[in-house]
Amino acid sequence: MVDLKGRHFLTLKDFTPEEIFYLVDLAAELKRKKKEHVPVDSMRGRNVALIFEKTSTRTRCSFEVAAHDLGMGCTYLDPKSSQIGKKESIADTARVLSSMFDGIEYRGYGQEIVEELARYSKVPVWNGLTNEYHPTQMLADLLTIREVFGDHKGLKLAYMGDARYNTGNSLMVLCSKMGMHFAAAAPEKYFPDPELVKTCEAWAKESGGSITLTEDAAEAAKDADIIYTDVWVSMGEPDEIWEERIKELSPYKVTAELMGKAKKSAIFLHCLPAFHDLKTETAKEKGAQFGIVDMEVTDEVFEGPQSKVFQEAENRMHTIKAVMAATLGA
């Protein structure tokens, strides 16, 4: 029997395939109960702290709704509300918060920050996103894949674009652990860290999966079950980065033509937010500046029948609820 009570949730590297599968099964059960209006508020009297050094829509809402559904209180600490790393060390922050709260979420910068929080915390710490890993997103992706296909084993996931950071890294870890075939398409400079690739190749060998890194988008997309992409540029990055990424990653944009290289049953996933039209302030500004109407995915694909991005977004809440329930011992 899987028992995750008291465990931190920092990266899927720390979890076995059985533990990952358990969390996704639990999320599916909690989602069913949510739809049927079955209360699951067995954690009344407990409280969680949410540290956000990077703001978010989906992650914040997912943690807050999930906490409330479980009956817990929830305190949100935005970038201006916390002294973490500024006037108070990460270690001191962990010791203070873990004396007041039953769990701590962190969304921000380096993985070393959430790792240090966990080292000094007396309660479970959950990674809402760091530069290197995005484990809660992966559980939502896996739940979505299972809902669509019935299973995940042996499916091919093709990731288009910059695979060096949290989403690309985490998808490679997920696929290698769960017996899926991971293909990343990008210029070589955007490939994941070679050491992580080596580790994932070993896991893939055990699970029956595989890892492929290629500069050919069509090769990666061929016979894929899932086409996945993410934003090319983080907010706040300078214009020269936008110009560089648009030039170098445009061949990896997810278009209807590229989706046509995948299986007819293939789905499109994106962890959001997406630059697929000009309906946001940033998109209008960058669209006018660089002469573009989209970036990593066309609006045709994003709004098309193969897109499961909003089902995927909803599943963030159900899987985060499962993580909290499992690690706190609901």
Side-chain angles (χ1 to χ4, degrees), residues 217-224 227 256-264:
E219 177 190 345
K222 184 180 178 182
D223 295 326
I227 302 290
E257 181 182 0
L258 187 65
M259 289 296 298
K261 306 289 184 185
K263 292 179 182 176
K264 288 185 178 180

Side-chain angles (χ1 to χ4, degrees), residues 267-287:
I267 62 172
F268 170 73
L269 296 180
H270 190 306
C271 58
L272 304 182
F275 191 157
H276 62 97
D277 57 22
L278 299 178
K279 295 178 182 177
T280 67
E281 290 181 10
T282 299
K284 286 177 185 176
E285 176 190 338
K286 299 304 180 183

Side-chain angles (χ1 to χ4, degrees), residues 41 48 53 79 84 90 128 144 157 178-179 203 208 246 250 303:
D41 55 343
V48 295
E53 292 196 297
I84 183 171
I90 295 163
T144 307
L157 185 150
M178 304 307 290
W203 286 330
I246 291 168
S250 286
E303 296 289 359

Side-chain angles (χ1 to χ4, degrees), residues 237-240 242-243 246 275 278 282-292:
E237 293 197 85
D239 286 347
E240 53 265 29
W242 282 82
E243 188 173 9
I246 291 168
F275 191 157
L278 299 178
T282 299
K284 286 177 185 176
E285 176 190 338
K286 299 304 180 183
Q289 186 175 356
F290 297 107
I292 56 176

Side-chain angles (χ1 to χ4, degrees), residues 230-238 241-243 245-246 295:
D230 193 7
V231 291
W232 293 345
V233 187
S234 297
M235 296 301 104
E237 293 197 85
I241 295 295
W242 282 82
E243 188 173 9
R245 301 275 170 81
I246 291 168
M295 276 182 57

Side-chain angles (χ1 to χ4, degrees), residues 3 9 42 51-52 55 78 121 201-202 213 232 247 276-277 281 291 319:
D3 183 4
F9 189 76
S42 61
I51 303 172
F52 277 69
T55 57
D78 66 24
S121 173
E201 285 175 337
L213 305 179
W232 293 345
K247 178 182 178 181
H276 62 97
D277 57 22
E281 290 181 10
T319 47

Side-chain angles (χ1 to χ4, degrees), residues 80-327:
K80 295 179 181 179
S81 300
S82 170
Q83 298 297 340
I84 183 171
K86 298 188 281 285
K87 292 184 178 180
E88 187 164 53
S89 71
I90 295 163
D92 289 356
T93 299
R95 287 179 284 194
V96 168
L97 293 182
S98 65
S99 70
M100 300 179 182
F101 293 92
D102 298 280
I104 302 168
E105 179 271 353
Y106 173 83
R107 178 184 172 93
Y109 298 96
Q111 181 72 12
E112 69 277 3
I113 299 174
V114 76
E115 298 277 355
E116 189 171 359
L117 275 171
R119 192 176 309 122
Y120 288 94
S121 173
K122 296 180 293 185
V123 300
V125 172
W126 310 300
N127 180 2
L129 173 140
T130 62
N131 293 339
E132 292 83 4
Y133 295 106
H134 199 357
T136 58
Q137 179 67 51
M138 297 305 104
L139 296 182
D141 295 340
L142 188 57
L143 177 59
T144 307
I145 289 165
R146 285 184 56 202
E147 288 174 338
V148 173
F149 296 104
D151 195 6
H152 63 277
K153 194 84 170 176
L155 298 183
K156 179 181 178 181
L157 185 150
Y159 180 80
M160 302 291 163
D162 192 346
R164 298 172 295 176
Y165 300 119
N166 45 46
T167 302
N169 286 342
S170 296
L171 284 169
M172 185 168 64
V173 171
L174 175 72
C175 290
S176 65
K177 290 241 180 187
M178 304 307 290
M180 297 172 66
H181 303 289
F182 175 79
E188 187 174 356
K189 65 184 277 189
Y190 295 97
F191 286 176
D193 177 73
E195 283 301 312
L196 182 60
V197 172
K198 187 176 179 181
T199 299
C200 288
E201 285 175 337
W203 286 330
K205 189 175 181 180
E206 292 179 9
S207 70
S210 64
I211 306 294
T212 301
L213 305 179
T214 178
E215 294 187 308
D216 188 333
E219 177 190 345
K222 184 180 178 182
D223 295 326
D225 299 283
I226 305 108
I227 302 290
Y228 199 123
T229 192
D230 193 7
V231 291
W232 293 345
V233 187
S234 297
M235 296 301 104
E237 293 197 85
D239 286 347
E240 53 265 29
I241 295 295
W242 282 82
E243 188 173 9
E244 176 184 75
R245 301 275 170 81
I246 291 168
K247 178 182 178 181
E248 295 178 349
L249 295 177
S250 286
Y252 305 93
K253 180 192 298 186
V254 180
T255 62
E257 181 182 0
L258 187 65
M259 289 296 298
K261 306 289 184 185
K263 292 179 182 176
K264 288 185 178 180
S265 58
I267 62 172
F268 170 73
L269 296 180
H270 190 306
C271 58
L272 304 182
F275 191 157
H276 62 97
D277 57 22
L278 299 178
K279 295 178 182 177
T280 67
E281 290 181 10
T282 299
K284 286 177 185 176
E285 176 190 338
K286 299 304 180 183
Q289 186 175 356
F290 297 107
I292 56 176
V293 296
D294 51 40
M295 276 182 57
E296 72 276 6
V297 59
T298 63
D299 196 54
E300 180 184 13
V301 171
F302 187 87
E303 296 289 359
Q306 291 172 288
S307 178
K308 303 297 179 184
V309 297
F310 296 109
Q311 179 178 341
E312 176 189 16
E314 178 194 339
N315 283 339
R316 289 293 307 284
M317 188 270 289
H318 303 297
T319 47
I320 282 170
K321 191 189 298 182
V323 168
M324 291 197 292
T327 57

